[in-house]
Amino acid sequence: MVLLPRFHLAEIEDQSWCPSWLREHSHLALAQMWRSNASEKGPPAAQACDLLMENLPDTSSFTFVDACAGAGGPTPVLEARLNEKLLAQGKGPVKFILTDLYPHLSAWEKIVKRSENISYIEEPVDATAAKKLTGPNEKECRIFNLCYHHFDDPLAGKVLRSAVESADAFVIHEMTYRNFSAFMNTSIVILSPFITTMLWFWNSPMHLFFTYLIPLVPLFYAIDGYVSCIRTRTPKEIDDLLLREPGLDLSEWEFKSGERLVLPPFGYLYWYVGVKKTKRTSQALVEHSS
């Protein structure tokens, strides 16, 4: 149950004055979250891969474009997990492409060196007006990992328009939401720096000082975590953005959404998938499932 209306408030990480060392702490936390194995079904990355395979017909035929890759996010984990699952089915590996309006080339170069299935685009790519990166006979799926809530409504609508008009599928993953579970999960995350700072930055006086003496890092997690919850859209709100885009043809598309408990007791992965159908029908099917 949604507890409050959506407000597009500001996150600290979005601000140009946000210190890079603070962003680094957040990026490591997100990567760790995707790898955390707290469920019998595997870590969130593995379960996100299961959802991709369940909702994208012939998953192995797609190339996945991380539309807002930042410093790389969960893409290295998702690539490894998804291709591990496809290999077990006797299928070839899928490719991932990192893109962003502000390319983080130094981080991407390190990622690409560790996986032959990941590449990147050096030039800035605007997710609101992105062109298809795969060939005319190849399928492209744009994936938005914990980032779609950063767009305000006008930009969020353009992101959807771009995906519908130039890609073959898109996937939105969020770990925040405007419900009790998401706020409780965020409250747990706020406490995590008291452990992770010592593990990741034990030799950094700055990180130690601003975690244990002046708790700036936990405060940063609290503000951005709760604001992310308040920013995150319901499936109905995403539907409305699609329908409000003037002249957007949805007749070849199917849409599904749902949620899955990936980090008990409160950590749910909220997902929204759009897939272009192989045969044209008179109108789009909008189906939401849990």
Side-chain angles (χ1 to χ4, degrees):
M1 180 179 68
V2 173
L3 299 178
L4 72 167
R6 180 182 185 273
F7 296 101
H8 196 75
L9 306 178
E11 293 187 36
I12 295 175
E13 190 175 356
D14 292 343
Q15 310 308 311
S16 59
W17 48 261
C18 179
S20 58
W21 64 267
L22 204 52
R23 284 198 181 96
E24 181 185 14
H25 207 299
S26 175
H27 293 162
L28 283 174
L30 289 175
Q32 180 62 38
M33 181 277 295
W34 284 103
R35 294 192 297 265
S36 297
N37 197 352
S39 169
E40 60 182 14
K41 295 182 180 179
Q47 297 192 58
C49 292
D50 290 339
L51 288 169
L52 288 176
M53 298 179 73
E54 292 167 11
N55 290 286
L56 292 182
D58 194 14
T59 309
S60 60
S61 67
F62 285 90
T63 294
F64 293 88
V65 176
D66 189 337
C68 303
T75 290
V77 184
L78 292 175
E79 181 274 322
R81 293 283 183 174
L82 184 56
N83 281 326
E84 180 182 359
K85 290 176 179 292
L86 290 173
L87 180 63
Q89 296 181 355
K91 298 178 180 179
V94 294
K95 303 294 185 181
F96 282 74
I97 304 175
L98 302 171
T99 72
D100 203 285
L101 185 60
Y102 303 101
H104 201 312
L105 299 181
S106 60
W108 294 358
E109 288 170 358
K110 295 177 183 178
I111 292 171
V112 169
K113 288 179 181 179
R114 295 194 294 265
S115 174
E116 62 182 10
N117 296 313
I118 302 178
S119 61
Y120 62 84
I121 302 298
E122 291 189 12
E123 298 77 19
V125 177
D126 185 350
T128 67
K131 297 180 180 179
K132 189 173 183 179
L133 296 177
T134 57
N137 298 318
E138 300 175 329
K139 293 182 180 179
E140 177 179 315
C141 176
R142 294 201 189 140
I143 189 164
F144 301 89
N145 293 312
L146 316 188
C147 64
Y148 188 67
H149 65 270
H150 286 271
F151 295 98
D152 62 20
D153 281 353
L155 291 179
K158 291 180 180 179
V159 167
L160 295 175
R161 172 181 283 278
S162 176
V164 168
E165 291 182 338
S166 60
D168 303 280
F170 67 87
V171 179
I172 297 170
H173 290 141
E174 298 281 14
M175 285 291 293
T176 52
Y177 205 64
R178 302 187 329 257
N179 62 10
F180 175 79
S181 294
F183 282 107
M184 288 300 297
N185 190 59
T186 299
S187 299
I188 294 173
V189 171
I190 291 169
L191 300 176
S192 65
F194 292 111
I195 299 174
T196 57
T197 295
M198 188 60 69
L199 294 174
W200 300 336
F201 303 105
W202 59 269
N203 59 347
S204 170
M206 179 180 292
H207 285 87
L208 295 173
F209 180 81
F210 284 113
T211 298
Y212 301 107
L213 295 180
I214 298 179
L216 178 62
V217 174
L219 179 62
F220 164 69
Y221 274 48
I223 293 173
D224 277 18
Y226 290 131
V227 168
S228 293
C229 290
I230 295 169
R231 277 178 161 188
T232 303
R233 295 175 176 87
T234 66
K236 176 64 166 58
E237 288 165 340
I238 298 176
D239 289 344
D240 290 342
L241 288 175
L242 281 163
L243 295 173
R244 289 205 303 264
E245 282 297 301
L248 185 61
D249 183 7
L250 300 175
S251 61
E252 295 183 330
W253 284 75
E254 293 181 352
F255 303 97
K256 301 179 181 180
S257 65
E259 59 188 60
R260 178 173 294 186
L261 182 63
V262 295
L263 287 174
F266 300 115
Y268 283 82
L269 180 66
Y270 303 90
W271 55 271
Y272 187 103
V273 176
V275 182
K276 191 173 185 178
K277 295 179 288 187
T278 55
K279 294 183 180 180
R280 189 177 182 86
T281 58
S282 59
Q283 62 181 8
L285 171 64
V286 179
E287 175 189 350
H288 297 300
S289 59
S290 295

